[in-house]
Amino acid sequence: MVYNDLTKTMTTERLLLRLFTQADADTVTRLCNDYNIYKNTLTLPYPYTLDCAVSWIEQHNENFNADKCYEFAICNRETGDLYGAIALSNQQRYDNGELSYWVGQPFWGKGYATEAAKAMLDFAFDVKKYHKVYARHFASNPASGQVIQKIGMIQEGVLMDHVKKEDRYEDLIYYGVVRSKVEM
């Protein structure tokens, strides 16, 4: 992963991670207005409207500049096509943050989430100097757990029936990794 502080972008073998712009709102709306994305995310609304995308994107620059949260568009490095989003919260008090992501259904199974998550882990440890990064997923979404495991996170625990989604309780499976434990 190569991070450019001036442009606030990261590049990997296949991906460009960049800040969202309002020009992305239509694509974000199209990708997120998908029941299969909604059911695997904790806070994404459904149906997902253009207003949802616009208000979400509006907050990104301020959050990034305030070191609260770093939210990047996952894009094809060559074409610029938008595949999804990846974010890292910043708990400055504890030198840690939560990794979260979504990828549009047409792009599932291609390794984009894993490649972006690895880049974000490098960003957290090498650029932002975090001590720890953690992530969580619904037990009903094991594919997300595979992404988290592939980047070297270790399962730390399960919070049973911790959240309610569509009148059904979901277990949250938590993973984490400490900087000193990451193979650089």
Side-chain angles (χ1 to χ4, degrees):
M1 179 279 295
V2 176
Y3 176 69
N4 183 324
D5 193 41
L6 192 61
T7 60
K8 297 177 183 162
T9 60
M10 285 183 264
T11 53
T12 67
E13 183 181 337
R14 301 180 297 162
L15 302 175
L16 168 68
L17 305 183
R18 60 160 176 82
L19 297 182
F20 281 90
T21 68
Q22 287 301 334
D24 297 317
D26 285 333
T27 304
V28 168
T29 302
R30 183 173 42 79
L31 293 174
C32 287
N33 195 32
D34 179 334
Y35 180 77
N36 289 315
I37 299 285
Y38 161 77
K39 75 177 185 179
N40 291 315
T41 57
L42 192 57
T43 59
L44 200 74
Y46 185 79
Y48 196 91
T49 65
L50 184 60
D51 285 344
C52 293
V54 168
S55 62
W56 178 64
I57 292 169
E58 273 177 359
Q59 303 167 27
H60 291 181
N61 273 329
E62 185 179 323
N63 287 342
F64 194 102
N65 292 332
D67 281 325
K68 288 173 59 177
C69 187
Y70 313 105
E71 295 171 281
F72 291 93
I74 302 171
C75 302
N76 180 296
R77 186 173 169 175
E78 301 299 321
T79 65
D81 292 346
L82 178 63
Y83 296 154
I86 190 154
L88 181 70
S89 68
N90 187 3
Q91 307 295 324
Q92 294 178 13
R93 181 176 180 182
Y94 304 111
D95 294 328
N96 72 25
E98 180 178 9
L99 178 72
S100 57
Y101 49 86
W102 60 264
V103 172
Q105 190 167 340
F107 311 108
W108 289 0
K110 297 176 178 14
Y112 298 137
T114 302
E115 191 171 327
K118 175 67 175 115
M120 200 62 132
L121 202 58
D122 292 345
F123 174 77
F125 291 138
D126 300 341
V127 178
K128 295 300 178 180
K129 307 300 183 195
Y130 283 25
H131 173 69
K132 180 180 180 176
V133 175
Y134 61 96
R136 61 188 171 171
H137 70 90
F138 291 157
S140 62
N141 184 12
S144 191
Q146 290 174 340
V147 169
I148 295 166
Q149 291 168 27
K150 284 178 187 174
I151 64 168
M153 289 195 181
I154 306 300
Q155 184 175 325
E156 295 182 339
V158 178
L159 300 181
M160 305 297 286
D161 285 352
H162 194 68
V163 295
K164 192 174 185 180
K165 182 87 177 192
E166 294 192 314
D167 298 325
R168 189 178 84 237
Y169 291 98
E170 285 274 0
D171 296 349
L172 286 183
I173 304 175
Y174 275 79
Y175 290 79
V177 65
V178 175
R179 179 179 17 192
S180 62
K181 306 289 185 201
V182 175
E183 294 179 24
M184 298 291 185

